[in-house]
Amino acid sequence: MLVAATRTISAYALAAAFLTGLFLVVVLAQFAVVSALRGAGLGGSAALSVSGVLIMGAVLALNWGVRALHRRAITAREAARARHALPDGPCCLVWHGRGEADFPFELEGDVSVIYPTAARRLGIEGVAVVEFEIGADGAPKNLHALDYWPSRVFYRAAEQALLHARFRPRDPAKAWRGPSYRMPFVFRLRGAARVRDAGRRTLPRGSLL
C-alpha cells in the first residue's frame, strides 16, 4: 500500500515570504509613523529620524523573536528525531518488495493512513510490513511488525490504519480464515521539496519481502 504525503514548505520559501512581508510592513509602518509625527507638529527630517529609530527597534525585536522561534523549532524537531529514532538527514526509499498477489480479501472502503508528522517534516521516507490475521468479522487481529525501516514510527502508522480497516473475501465461496497475511505500507514523499530517488538508496532488492 502506497502512502504519499507532501513535505511542508522549505526553509528558503519561508525565508523569502518572511522577508517580502517584512519589507511591505516596514514601508507601510514608515509611512504611517511619519504621517503621525508630522500631524503632531514634528518637522519632516525629525519625523523621518524618529520613525527610523522606532521602526529599526521594532525590526530588531521582531528578528530576535523569529530567531528564537526558529531555534525552538529546531530543538523540537531534533527531539522528535531522537524520540522516534529517525535517521540524521533526509532518506529516500527505493522499494523492491513483492506484494501478495493471491491475497483472498479486499478492503471495505478506504484505509486512512497518517504519514508520521516528524518523518514528513524531516524529509524521511519509510516502509513497514505488517503481519496479521483476519477474524470472522473482517477485522485484522494479532498484528505485529514483520519488518520496518528506518524507524518503528512507520509501523505504528500502519498498525493504526489496519486497526480501523475491515476486509471482505473476494470469493465468499472460497473464503477461508486462519493463516496470517502480510501487507507492506510504503511511505513516500512527493512535491518539489522531495528528495530525489537518484539520491540515497537505502533498501537493496529483496531486503524485506
Side-chain angles (χ1 to χ4, degrees):
M1 179 176 294
L2 176 63
V3 183
T6 303
R7 287 191 61 186
T8 54
I9 301 175
S10 67
Y12 293 109
L14 286 174
F18 171 75
L19 291 175
T20 302
L22 181 61
F23 173 77
L24 295 175
V25 168
V26 167
V27 171
L28 293 175
Q30 178 79 9
F31 177 78
V33 172
V34 170
S35 298
L37 291 175
R38 286 180 176 177
L42 203 62
S45 59
L48 286 173
S49 300
V50 172
S51 65
V53 171
L54 293 176
I55 292 174
M56 180 60 69
V59 169
L60 291 176
L62 179 61
N63 181 65
W64 180 87
V66 169
R67 287 180 179 272
L69 289 176
H70 181 64
R71 288 193 297 268
R72 183 177 299 180
I74 292 177
T75 301
R77 183 186 64 192
E78 294 308 313
R81 187 197 300 274
R83 183 169 63 253
H84 297 301
L86 291 166
D88 185 16
C91 291
C92 179
L93 176 69
V94 179
W95 171 251
H96 295 294
R98 299 186 301 274
E100 289 283 342
D102 56 347
F103 188 62
F105 294 90
E106 61 184 0
L107 286 166
E108 293 184 351
D110 297 329
V111 177
S112 178
V113 189
I114 300 176
Y115 202 107
T117 302
R120 178 176 56 81
R121 290 177 176 173
L122 292 167
I124 296 173
E125 299 181 337
V127 64
V129 183
V130 185
E131 191 169 51
F132 59 96
E133 300 173 6
I134 298 178
D137 59 350
K141 62 179 183 179
N142 300 329
L143 283 71
H144 73 274
L146 187 64
D147 209 340
Y148 56 83
W149 182 94
S151 167
R152 192 176 180 85
V153 68
F154 291 102
Y155 167 71
R156 288 196 291 267
E159 180 186 43
Q160 288 300 313
L162 277 178
L163 286 175
H164 296 89
R166 291 296 181 271
F167 293 88
R168 61 171 175 260
R170 296 182 185 274
D171 186 351
K174 298 181 180 180
W176 55 284
R177 299 177 176 87
S180 60
Y181 302 97
R182 62 181 60 177
M183 180 176 289
F185 288 76
V186 182
F187 295 81
R188 301 297 305 270
L189 291 169
R190 60 187 179 187
R194 175 183 164 188
V195 180
R196 292 181 300 176
D197 288 349
R200 185 178 304 178
R201 292 179 175 262
T202 49
L203 286 181
R205 181 179 297 275
S207 62
L208 286 177
L209 291 181

